[in-house]
Amino acid sequence: ETGVTQTPRHLVMGMTNKKSLKCEQHLGHNAMYWYKQSAKKPLELMFVYNFKEQTENNSVPSRFSPECPNSSHLFLHLHTLQPEDSALYLCASRGQGINSPLHFGNGTRLTVT
Amino acid sequence: AQSVTQLDSHVSVSEGTPVLLRCNYSSSYSPSLFWYVQHPNKGLQLLLKYTSAATLVKGINGFEAEFKKSETSFHLTKPSAHMSDAAEYFCVVSESSGTYKYIFGTGTRLKVLA
């Protein structure tokens, strides 16, 4: 069982819907990340939070809105998405050591219709 | 600036034969290097990491990688492929400069033939 849990595993939404993705980590880490993984494209960093503060926004459209209420939880709020936003959204966390690896959840497979 | 290049997008091997997945990196600082594996519809699982200790790093499931600074390489190997090794593999570099940024390669899809 992974130390990073993402829900839901699958999500289908229309372009006018509002939905949220949830990530929870049980590893005692203080940094959390959102990545987007599309077919035939490299992994794209979206957001980074360190001690609940956003430290990276990789020019992500405003229809994606992250929220990090505490170091264990991370949300990605979605509204008025486009079909090209269909992808696997991966959450990861990292410990404080400078050589710490990322620990990933199993992702949410999002389909926008 | 950091970068990582996975030299093969697809690799096919027969079950029981050696696996070699190639990765070259570029980094301005002392890099940390990682290999991850991803099975279909799953997240990325850490196979192994190099963090300036021993240059030959052993990981899970019989994989290992050797850090070669002169060649700026960090190739992943396994002596004998198993059917369950079929997956996508990612080489990742991170700089020890406090930025906590991770640069991912484009991935190598490993196919294992029976």
Side-chain angles (χ1 to χ4, degrees):
Chain A
E1 182 182 327
T2 177
V4 180
T5 304
Q6 290 187 245
T7 55
R9 289 298 314 277
H10 301 272
L11 178 62
V12 180
M13 60 186 289
M15 290 191 284
T16 58
N17 290 160
K18 286 185 180 182
K19 296 285 185 183
S20 296
L21 309 185
K22 179 182 176 182
C23 176
E24 183 175 2
Q25 58 94 1
H26 312 276
L27 300 169
H29 293 166
N30 291 310
M32 297 187 77
Y33 297 66
W34 279 118
Y35 283 91
K36 176 183 178 183
Q37 187 176 37
S38 305
K40 303 188 188 305
K41 292 176 75 174
L43 210 63
E44 299 174 55
L45 176 65
M46 300 177 73
F47 302 103
V48 181
Y49 279 82
N50 200 21
F51 288 98
K52 303 189 298 179
E53 299 297 320
Q54 188 180 116
T55 55
E56 185 87 21
N57 178 339
N58 201 26
S59 303
V60 180
S62 59
R63 58 185 183 271
F64 294 91
S65 175
E67 178 190 1
C68 189
N70 55 60
S71 293
S72 298
H73 293 86
L74 184 64
F75 296 88
L76 189 62
H77 304 299
L78 316 170
H79 63 100
T80 59
L81 294 191
Q82 305 297 311
E84 60 265 29
D85 296 322
S86 299
L88 182 68
Y89 288 84
L90 292 164
C91 173
S93 69
R94 178 185 52 77
Q96 280 305 107
I98 60 173
N99 298 318
S100 295
L102 293 173
H103 295 258
F104 285 86
N106 281 326
T108 294
R109 172 69 62 187
L110 174 67
T111 304
V112 181
T113 61
Chain B
Q2 298 167 284
S3 67
V4 60
T5 303
Q6 290 185 244
L7 297 159
D8 306 293
S9 59
H10 293 83
V11 170
S12 290
V13 300
S14 297
E15 189 176 22
T17 64
V19 175
L20 170 64
L21 305 182
R22 298 183 294 164
C23 173
N24 285 100
Y25 72 92
S26 172
S27 177
S28 304
Y29 297 89
S30 299
S32 294
L33 293 155
F34 311 88
W35 275 100
Y36 285 84
V37 61
Q38 185 179 31
H39 289 93
N41 293 313
K42 295 282 192 178
L44 280 71
Q45 180 186 15
L46 180 69
L47 278 177
L48 50 81
K49 65 177 184 178
Y50 166 78
T51 56
S52 76
T55 56
L56 183 62
V57 182
K58 293 189 183 299
I60 62 171
N61 301 335
F63 285 95
E64 62 182 39
E66 187 171 8
F67 173 73
K68 291 188 176 180
K69 187 174 181 179
S70 60
E71 298 176 10
T72 61
S73 69
F74 190 58
H75 301 334
L76 182 70
T77 60
K78 183 174 180 177
S80 176
H82 191 272
M83 296 297 289
S84 60
D85 294 327
E88 187 142 25
Y89 292 79
F90 293 92
C91 183
V92 182
V93 63
S94 172
E95 287 187 345
S96 302
S97 61
T99 61
Y100 304 118
K101 287 192 176 180
Y102 298 80
I103 306 299
F104 285 76
T106 50
T108 298
R109 186 165 296 278
L110 176 65
K111 187 174 182 179
V112 181
L113 307 171

